[in-house]
Amino acid sequence: MTLKRKAEYEKSVARTREKRMRWWREARYGMFVHWGLYALLERNEWVQAIECIPVKEYEKLAQKFKPKPNAAREWAKLARDAGMKYMVMTTKHHEGFCLWDTQQTNYNSVKTACGRDLVREYVDACREFGLKIGFYYSLMDWHHPDGGRCAYDPEARRRFLDFTTGCVRELMSNYGKIDILWYDVALPFKSYEGWESLAMNQTARGLQPHIMINDRSRLDEDFSTPEGSVSPAESGRGWEACMTFNDTSWGYMPAAAQDRWTDRDILKMLCTASGGCGNLLLNIGPAPDGSVPEEAVAPLKNVGKWLAKNGQAVYGKVDPAPSNFGASASGAFSRTGKRIYFWVRCWPGREMGIGGFKTKLKSARFHVGGEKIDFEQDGARIILKNMPRTSPDKIAGVTMIELEFAAVPKHQAFATTPPLLEGF
Ligand code: GLC
């Protein structure tokens, strides 16, 4: 393979980007899975580093890690029922333990107590439940003897880069079609040259021409990955917010009930993602035996039920929606063409005002059931009238209203307030 230089490589990748990413842009919602030896300690996937556990002591966990067979089926079934369309699983996290049958190190799930290729089980489960497949791979490695030394010792660096590329090559060669390569933490090298990311990613693309690659190998590649907050990337660029399930840990760590996301929290994130044309990658950290943490099951299933009725506001083609700032305090928007989907979280009762749209409103209706809603429009003020007293959505209390405008709606916050608020 002849290697392209950066500019040429990025151009060629950009040329096929929209086509490669179409499914993902339409999918909108995926499941992240953080699973590894750290699950056994129940204190965050960073536990080895945080608590200064020596490698020799930590690696003994590999002799205790014996998950039940095909745990991945449970995750994939739940993901499907939750309305998620793809999954991304940690094939190797910072701890360095590989969950697949690798030739690069014996520190893997096949050659230790587990005795099975967990990546294979995961891939099979995704396929069984019709989900696209993503591989998370941590570049940083706390177990490999050269993982830190490579920063100052050229021979160690060569060995470590060969190891890294060897791992990526195996993952891209041995499991059929893979849809996403999701790198993480590119330390200790500070540049793409340090990691030889151009060569590594061209190798990956050579083996998986349809793959999407995230932005964490010190190259921008295909999409951005805001973490811990659902915040849009610059316009036009794909972005995927990754979120833990309990605001505490990616790896298994039972959290206080108050810290867990509810179905309504998830819908709020999904609304922001849809309104900003981005994706939500919501994490579960399975228990050491592979079971889905109990905290995730009910909210995810309920969101799935809700999406089965309201998914049109989420999946498929969505366009950038106006923010709800200066429009309504009752909910937020996503949009397809001239239609605004109004996700009403706080049901206001019989009437509701929406400010700032001067574009002519043609109709307002409930998305579920299609019943029309009476309305008045006066300048920048819309009033929805004669509505039910309580939220019609009995699944999560988030009712979807469709507002069909005569043209792509323009919004201006505080459009009719006196100059006092101009530019606020
Ligand atoms: C961070 C953390 C890591 C987690 C990841 C998910 O970079 O180091 O533990 O896997 O974010 O995005």
Side-chain angles (χ1 to χ4, degrees):
M1 189 175 74
T2 40
L3 276 187
K4 296 190 175 88
R5 289 168 186 278
K6 184 161 183 283
E8 193 195 342
Y9 169 68
E10 290 187 332
K11 232 198 225 162
S12 74
V13 167
R15 224 175 284 132
T16 57
R17 178 166 296 134
E18 279 319 302
K19 201 165 162 215
R20 285 182 292 109
M21 287 179 59
R22 190 168 307 140
W23 73 264
W24 180 87
R25 287 190 183 275
E26 295 182 354
R28 192 85 39 221
Y29 184 32
M31 178 183 272
F32 213 175
V33 177
H34 274 68
W35 201 36
L37 302 181
Y38 43 80
L40 288 158
L41 298 183
E42 304 188 6
R43 300 194 296 276
N44 192 293
E45 74 288 351
W46 273 70
V47 60
Q48 180 181 352
I50 294 174
E51 297 182 12
C52 306
I53 305 176
V55 171
K56 286 282 160 243
E57 182 183 330
Y58 187 89
E59 66 185 7
K60 288 189 190 140
L61 292 172
Q63 298 312 334
K64 292 197 189 137
F65 188 59
K66 296 181 198 163
K68 58 185 170 189
N70 295 316
R73 285 192 80 249
E74 270 179 45
W75 323 332
K77 181 170 184 316
L78 178 61
R80 198 239 0 231
D81 293 348
M84 292 158 154
K85 305 291 185 191
Y86 63 103
M87 294 180 73
V88 178
M89 182 188 73
T90 51
T91 59
K92 169 177 90 84
H93 203 264
H94 313 335
E95 65 178 6
F97 186 67
C98 298
L99 299 190
W100 78 97
D101 189 8
T102 176
Q103 305 307 309
Q104 311 298 322
T105 170
N106 288 336
Y107 197 44
N108 70 57
S109 63
V110 179
K111 299 209 175 74
T112 50
C114 168
R116 299 179 347 248
D117 184 330
L118 300 174
V119 168
R120 168 73 59 204
E121 292 182 10
Y122 158 73
V123 166
D124 289 348
C126 288
R127 295 207 172 109
E128 180 182 344
F129 289 94
L131 301 159
K132 298 272 189 190
I133 305 169
F135 284 169
Y136 164 110
Y137 180 86
S138 171
L139 293 164
M140 176 164 76
D141 193 311
W142 299 327
H143 181 267
H144 193 290
D146 298 317
R149 201 190 300 161
C150 59
Y152 51 83
D153 173 342
E155 283 172 20
R157 171 166 178 263
R158 189 66 267 143
R159 285 192 299 267
F160 188 58
L161 291 183
D162 290 347
F163 163 81
T164 302
T165 308
C167 287
V168 170
R169 189 187 287 279
E170 287 177 358
L171 289 169
M172 296 293 103
S173 305
N174 298 346
Y175 298 92
K177 184 169 180 246
I178 301 304
D179 303 289
I180 304 172
L181 176 55
W182 213 105
Y183 289 116
D184 196 18
V185 186
L187 285 175
F189 305 121
K190 302 284 189 315
S191 65
Y192 71 87
E193 289 102 334
W195 281 103
E196 297 183 351
S197 302
L198 270 177
M200 180 166 71
N201 295 355
Q202 283 178 70
T203 301
R205 290 187 191 278
L207 294 163
Q208 297 281 343
H210 299 97
I211 204 151
M212 298 171 46
I213 303 182
N214 76 346
D215 61 347
R216 297 194 181 181
S217 63
R218 306 225 184 264
L219 287 171
D220 290 344
E221 292 291 356
D222 292 318
F223 63 102
S224 303
T225 53
E227 183 173 320
S229 73
V230 187
S231 38
E234 67 273 30
S235 130
R237 176 152 167 94
W239 61 275
E240 178 194 64
C242 50
M243 301 292 289
T244 60
F245 210 88
N246 50 30
D247 219 7
T248 306
S249 171
W250 298 92
Y252 181 66
M253 181 167 176
Q258 296 88 329
D259 291 340
R260 303 170 183 173
W261 300 129
T262 63
D263 46 8
R264 289 172 60 79
D265 294 327
I266 298 170
L267 288 177
K268 194 172 183 185
M269 296 189 258
L270 211 44
C271 178
T272 312
S274 306
C277 301
N279 284 27
L280 175 65
L281 187 64
L282 185 58
N283 182 72
I284 61 161
D289 73 348
S291 338
V292 176
E294 154 268 317
E295 70 196 39
V297 179
L300 284 179
K301 282 195 175 161
N302 222 31
V303 169
K305 257 201 220 164
W306 186 93
L307 279 169
K309 291 183 182 282
N310 296 284
Q312 222 180 306
V314 173
Y315 309 123
K317 185 180 177 301
V318 297
D319 300 305
S323 102
N324 66 315
F325 175 71
S328 167
S330 303
F333 308 126
S334 56
R335 176 174 76 88
T336 305
K338 300 175 192 170
R339 177 181 302 163
I340 292 269
Y341 291 100
F342 185 12
W343 307 44
V344 185
R345 287 173 59 78
C346 302
W347 191 255
R350 306 275 294 163
E351 271 194 16
M352 171 162 48
I354 303 170
F357 289 105
K358 289 186 185 163
T359 316
K360 185 176 160 40
L361 180 62
K362 281 179 35 185
S363 74
R365 65 174 75 226
F366 290 105
H367 177 70
V368 176
E371 199 189 321
K372 288 210 163 184
I373 304 173
D374 298 336
F375 70 89
E376 278 171 18
Q377 184 174 27
D378 181 12
R381 188 176 186 205
I382 293 169
I383 303 174
L384 305 182
K385 303 168 72 167
N386 303 323
M387 297 197 300
R389 274 182 209 292
T390 56
S391 177
D393 177 58
K394 301 301 172 215
I395 301 174
V398 179
T399 294
M400 189 69 79
I401 290 177
E402 283 179 24
L403 304 170
E404 196 74 45
F405 288 88
V408 171
K410 286 209 176 66
H411 184 258
Q412 187 198 336
F414 307 119
T416 56
T417 36
L420 176 66
L421 280 170
E422 260 168 33
F424 179 70

